[in-house]
mmCIF file of all heavy atoms in Angstrom:
data_model
loop_
_atom_site.group_PDB
_atom_site.id
_atom_site.type_symbol
_atom_site.label_atom_id
_atom_site.label_comp_id
_atom_site.label_asym_id
_atom_site.label_seq_id
_atom_site.Cartn_x
_atom_site.Cartn_y
_atom_site.Cartn_z
ATOM 1 N N ALA L 102 33.087 83.703 48.981
ATOM 2 C CA ALA L 102 31.849 83.139 48.455
ATOM 3 C C ALA L 102 30.825 84.245 48.230
ATOM 4 O O ALA L 102 30.773 85.239 48.960
ATOM 5 C CB ALA L 102 31.292 82.102 49.428
ATOM 6 N N GLU L 103 30.006 84.079 47.196
ATOM 7 C CA GLU L 103 28.992 85.063 46.850
ATOM 8 C C GLU L 103 27.718 84.846 47.660
ATOM 9 O O GLU L 103 27.551 83.826 48.336
ATOM 10 C CB GLU L 103 28.683 84.980 45.350
ATOM 11 C CG GLU L 103 29.880 85.231 44.449
ATOM 12 C CD GLU L 103 30.397 86.664 44.532
ATOM 13 O OE1 GLU L 103 29.595 87.557 44.877
ATOM 14 O OE2 GLU L 103 31.586 86.889 44.254
ATOM 15 N N SER L 104 26.817 85.821 47.561
ATOM 16 C CA SER L 104 25.530 85.726 48.245
ATOM 17 C C SER L 104 24.808 84.448 47.837
ATOM 18 O O SER L 104 24.848 84.024 46.677
ATOM 19 C CB SER L 104 24.679 86.948 47.904
ATOM 20 O OG SER L 104 23.420 86.883 48.556
ATOM 21 N N ASN L 105 24.157 83.803 48.818
ATOM 22 C CA ASN L 105 23.432 82.530 48.654
ATOM 23 C C ASN L 105 24.375 81.338 48.486
ATOM 24 O O ASN L 105 23.915 80.230 48.201
ATOM 25 C CB ASN L 105 22.436 82.586 47.494
ATOM 26 C CG ASN L 105 21.351 83.612 47.726
ATOM 27 O OD1 ASN L 105 20.855 83.756 48.846
ATOM 28 N ND2 ASN L 105 20.985 84.353 46.684
ATOM 29 N N GLU L 106 25.662 81.560 48.633
ATOM 30 C CA GLU L 106 26.608 80.456 48.720
ATOM 31 C C GLU L 106 26.989 80.276 50.193
ATOM 32 O O GLU L 106 26.238 80.684 51.078
ATOM 33 C CB GLU L 106 27.833 80.735 47.843
ATOM 34 C CG GLU L 106 27.502 80.830 46.365
ATOM 35 C CD GLU L 106 28.720 81.137 45.504
ATOM 36 O OE1 GLU L 106 29.766 81.550 46.053
ATOM 37 O OE2 GLU L 106 28.612 80.974 44.272
ATOM 38 N N ALA L 107 28.149 79.660 50.466
ATOM 39 C CA ALA L 107 28.537 79.423 51.859
ATOM 40 C C ALA L 107 30.041 79.267 51.958
ATOM 41 O O ALA L 107 30.712 78.848 51.014
ATOM 42 C CB ALA L 107 27.853 78.162 52.400
ATOM 43 N N VAL L 108 30.561 79.627 53.123
ATOM 44 C CA VAL L 108 31.905 79.218 53.511
ATOM 45 C C VAL L 108 31.782 77.773 53.979
ATOM 46 O O VAL L 108 30.974 77.466 54.864
ATOM 47 C CB VAL L 108 32.468 80.104 54.628
ATOM 48 C CG1 VAL L 108 33.823 79.603 55.090
ATOM 49 C CG2 VAL L 108 32.549 81.546 54.167
ATOM 50 N N GLN L 109 32.548 76.871 53.392
ATOM 51 C CA GLN L 109 32.391 75.447 53.654
ATOM 52 C C GLN L 109 33.612 74.867 54.362
ATOM 53 O O GLN L 109 34.747 75.162 53.992
ATOM 54 C CB GLN L 109 32.157 74.687 52.347
ATOM 55 C CG GLN L 109 30.851 75.057 51.650
ATOM 56 C CD GLN L 109 30.605 74.228 50.411
ATOM 57 O OE1 GLN L 109 31.535 73.851 49.711
ATOM 58 N NE2 GLN L 109 29.341 73.914 50.141
ATOM 59 N N ILE L 110 33.329 74.054 55.357
ATOM 60 C CA ILE L 110 34.364 73.282 56.036
ATOM 61 C C ILE L 110 34.230 71.848 55.528
ATOM 62 O O ILE L 110 33.181 71.217 55.694
ATOM 63 C CB ILE L 110 34.198 73.329 57.566
ATOM 64 C CG1 ILE L 110 34.053 74.782 58.054
ATOM 65 C CG2 ILE L 110 35.358 72.626 58.245
ATOM 66 C CD1 ILE L 110 35.214 75.674 57.714
ATOM 67 N N THR L 111 35.289 71.350 54.894
ATOM 68 C CA THR L 111 35.236 70.055 54.215
ATOM 69 C C THR L 111 36.186 69.075 54.877
ATOM 70 O O THR L 111 37.350 69.391 55.142
ATOM 71 C CB THR L 111 35.612 70.211 52.730
ATOM 72 O OG1 THR L 111 34.681 71.105 52.106
ATOM 73 C CG2 THR L 111 35.564 68.873 52.006
ATOM 74 N N LEU L 112 35.675 67.891 55.156
ATOM 75 C CA LEU L 112 36.469 66.800 55.710
ATOM 76 C C LEU L 112 36.931 65.902 54.575
ATOM 77 O O LEU L 112 36.138 65.518 53.710
ATOM 78 C CB LEU L 112 35.631 65.987 56.702
ATOM 79 C CG LEU L 112 36.310 64.753 57.308
ATOM 80 C CD1 LEU L 112 37.331 65.177 58.344
ATOM 81 C CD2 LEU L 112 35.277 63.818 57.925
ATOM 82 N N HIS L 113 38.204 65.564 54.578
ATOM 83 C CA HIS L 113 38.770 64.694 53.552
ATOM 84 C C HIS L 113 39.094 63.342 54.187
ATOM 85 O O HIS L 113 39.891 63.260 55.121
ATOM 86 C CB HIS L 113 40.025 65.326 52.954
ATOM 87 C CG HIS L 113 39.783 66.701 52.403
ATOM 88 N ND1 HIS L 113 39.264 66.924 51.145
ATOM 89 C CD2 HIS L 113 39.952 67.932 52.956
ATOM 90 C CE1 HIS L 113 39.150 68.215 50.924
ATOM 91 N NE2 HIS L 113 39.548 68.855 52.021
ATOM 92 N N GLU L 114 38.459 62.301 53.680
ATOM 93 C CA GLU L 114 38.636 60.939 54.196
ATOM 94 C C GLU L 114 38.992 60.034 53.030
ATOM 95 O O GLU L 114 38.179 59.841 52.112
ATOM 96 C CB GLU L 114 37.343 60.448 54.860
ATOM 97 C CG GLU L 114 37.061 61.088 56.210
ATOM 98 C CD GLU L 114 37.641 60.281 57.346
ATOM 99 O OE1 GLU L 114 37.982 59.103 57.144
ATOM 100 O OE2 GLU L 114 37.762 60.833 58.453
ATOM 101 N N ARG L 115 40.202 59.515 53.040
ATOM 102 C CA ARG L 115 40.683 58.657 51.956
ATOM 103 C C ARG L 115 40.514 59.391 50.628
ATOM 104 O O ARG L 115 41.101 60.445 50.431
ATOM 105 C CB ARG L 115 39.972 57.308 51.994
ATOM 106 C CG ARG L 115 40.235 56.521 53.284
ATOM 107 C CD ARG L 115 39.575 55.157 53.260
ATOM 108 N NE ARG L 115 39.872 54.414 54.477
ATOM 109 C CZ ARG L 115 39.140 54.469 55.582
ATOM 110 N NH1 ARG L 115 38.057 55.241 55.629
ATOM 111 N NH2 ARG L 115 39.487 53.782 56.658
ATOM 112 N N ASP L 116 39.689 58.850 49.721
ATOM 113 C CA ASP L 116 39.523 59.491 48.419
ATOM 114 C C ASP L 116 38.232 60.283 48.318
ATOM 115 O O ASP L 116 37.819 60.684 47.223
ATOM 116 C CB ASP L 116 39.562 58.426 47.299
ATOM 117 C CG ASP L 116 40.907 57.728 47.213
ATOM 118 O OD1 ASP L 116 41.925 58.390 47.506
ATOM 119 O OD2 ASP L 116 40.936 56.537 46.870
ATOM 120 N N GLU L 117 37.567 60.517 49.433
ATOM 121 C CA GLU L 117 36.293 61.233 49.418
ATOM 122 C C GLU L 117 36.395 62.510 50.226
ATOM 123 O O GLU L 117 37.251 62.664 51.098
ATOM 124 C CB GLU L 117 35.180 60.352 49.975
ATOM 125 C CG GLU L 117 34.848 59.145 49.121
ATOM 126 C CD GLU L 117 33.568 58.471 49.588
ATOM 127 O OE1 GLU L 117 33.665 57.640 50.512
ATOM 128 O OE2 GLU L 117 32.494 58.785 49.049
ATOM 129 N N SER L 118 35.478 63.436 49.937
ATOM 130 C CA SER L 118 35.401 64.697 50.671
ATOM 131 C C SER L 118 33.946 64.947 51.041
ATOM 132 O O SER L 118 33.039 64.689 50.240
ATOM 133 C CB SER L 118 35.936 65.859 49.827
ATOM 134 O OG SER L 118 37.298 65.661 49.520
ATOM 135 N N PHE L 119 33.734 65.448 52.265
ATOM 136 C CA PHE L 119 32.394 65.703 52.762
ATOM 137 C C PHE L 119 32.333 67.106 53.354
ATOM 138 O O PHE L 119 33.201 67.484 54.149
ATOM 139 C CB PHE L 119 32.013 64.693 53.853
ATOM 140 C CG PHE L 119 32.134 63.251 53.433
ATOM 141 C CD1 PHE L 119 33.288 62.529 53.701
ATOM 142 C CD2 PHE L 119 31.094 62.625 52.777
ATOM 143 C CE1 PHE L 119 33.405 61.207 53.335
ATOM 144 C CE2 PHE L 119 31.199 61.300 52.391
ATOM 145 C CZ PHE L 119 32.356 60.579 52.670
ATOM 146 N N VAL L 120 31.299 67.849 52.996
ATOM 147 C CA VAL L 120 31.073 69.138 53.636
ATOM 148 C C VAL L 120 30.459 68.863 55.005
ATOM 149 O O VAL L 120 29.380 68.277 55.107
ATOM 150 C CB VAL L 120 30.134 70.021 52.794
ATOM 151 C CG1 VAL L 120 29.805 71.318 53.543
ATOM 152 C CG2 VAL L 120 30.764 70.331 51.445
ATOM 153 N N ILE L 121 31.148 69.263 56.070
ATOM 154 C CA ILE L 121 30.651 68.974 57.416
ATOM 155 C C ILE L 121 30.159 70.223 58.137
ATOM 156 O O ILE L 121 29.592 70.110 59.222
ATOM 157 C CB ILE L 121 31.719 68.260 58.269
ATOM 158 C CG1 ILE L 121 32.996 69.088 58.397
ATOM 159 C CG2 ILE L 121 32.027 66.887 57.690
ATOM 160 C CD1 ILE L 121 33.983 68.524 59.405
ATOM 161 N N ALA L 122 30.374 71.394 57.573
ATOM 162 C CA ALA L 122 29.838 72.618 58.172
ATOM 163 C C ALA L 122 29.753 73.687 57.099
ATOM 164 O O ALA L 122 30.612 73.756 56.210
ATOM 165 C CB ALA L 122 30.710 73.096 59.335
ATOM 166 N N GLU L 123 28.711 74.509 57.182
ATOM 167 C CA GLU L 123 28.541 75.607 56.247
ATOM 168 C C GLU L 123 28.162 76.875 57.001
ATOM 169 O O GLU L 123 27.325 76.841 57.899
ATOM 170 C CB GLU L 123 27.460 75.283 55.220
ATOM 171 C CG GLU L 123 27.868 74.212 54.223
ATOM 172 C CD GLU L 123 26.831 74.029 53.123
ATOM 173 O OE1 GLU L 123 25.618 74.130 53.437
ATOM 174 O OE2 GLU L 123 27.217 73.807 51.968
ATOM 175 N N ILE L 124 28.789 77.970 56.625
ATOM 176 C CA ILE L 124 28.441 79.284 57.151
ATOM 177 C C ILE L 124 27.799 80.041 55.997
ATOM 178 O O ILE L 124 28.475 80.413 55.032
ATOM 179 C CB ILE L 124 29.692 80.024 57.658
ATOM 180 C CG1 ILE L 124 30.441 79.170 58.689
ATOM 181 C CG2 ILE L 124 29.313 81.379 58.245
ATOM 182 C CD1 ILE L 124 31.826 79.688 59.041
ATOM 183 N N PRO L 125 26.470 80.259 56.034
ATOM 184 C CA PRO L 125 25.775 80.852 54.888
ATOM 185 C C PRO L 125 26.234 82.279 54.608
ATOM 186 O O PRO L 125 26.509 83.051 55.536
ATOM 187 C CB PRO L 125 24.305 80.830 55.305
ATOM 188 C CG PRO L 125 24.222 79.845 56.424
ATOM 189 C CD PRO L 125 25.541 79.903 57.127
ATOM 190 N N VAL L 126 26.321 82.622 53.329
ATOM 191 C CA VAL L 126 26.618 83.986 52.894
ATOM 192 C C VAL L 126 25.310 84.604 52.416
ATOM 193 O O VAL L 126 24.692 84.112 51.472
ATOM 194 C CB VAL L 126 27.671 83.996 51.763
ATOM 195 C CG1 VAL L 126 27.940 85.420 51.298
ATOM 196 C CG2 VAL L 126 28.958 83.331 52.247
ATOM 197 N N SER L 127 24.874 85.661 53.080
ATOM 198 C CA SER L 127 23.535 86.207 52.831
ATOM 199 C C SER L 127 23.546 87.482 52.003
ATOM 200 O O SER L 127 22.480 88.015 51.681
ATOM 201 C CB SER L 127 22.835 86.483 54.172
ATOM 202 O OG SER L 127 23.589 87.391 54.953
ATOM 203 N N GLY L 128 24.709 87.994 51.658
ATOM 204 C CA GLY L 128 24.772 89.228 50.882
ATOM 205 C C GLY L 128 26.209 89.671 50.730
ATOM 206 O O GLY L 128 27.141 88.927 51.048
ATOM 207 N N SER L 129 26.396 90.872 50.250
ATOM 208 C CA SER L 129 27.735 91.403 50.010
ATOM 209 C C SER L 129 28.036 92.540 50.971
ATOM 210 O O SER L 129 27.203 93.419 51.182
ATOM 211 C CB SER L 129 27.874 91.902 48.571
ATOM 212 O OG SER L 129 27.752 90.828 47.670
ATOM 213 N N GLY L 130 29.229 92.508 51.533
ATOM 214 C CA GLY L 130 29.697 93.609 52.355
ATOM 215 C C GLY L 130 30.497 94.588 51.521
ATOM 216 O O GLY L 130 30.465 94.558 50.282
#
């Protein structure tokens, strides 16, 4: 993921998906 985006943990329930956790990306290494 690029800066100002996030690593996302997504839960999948039936036909829907929900982001349940985000680790922010603050810049480039």
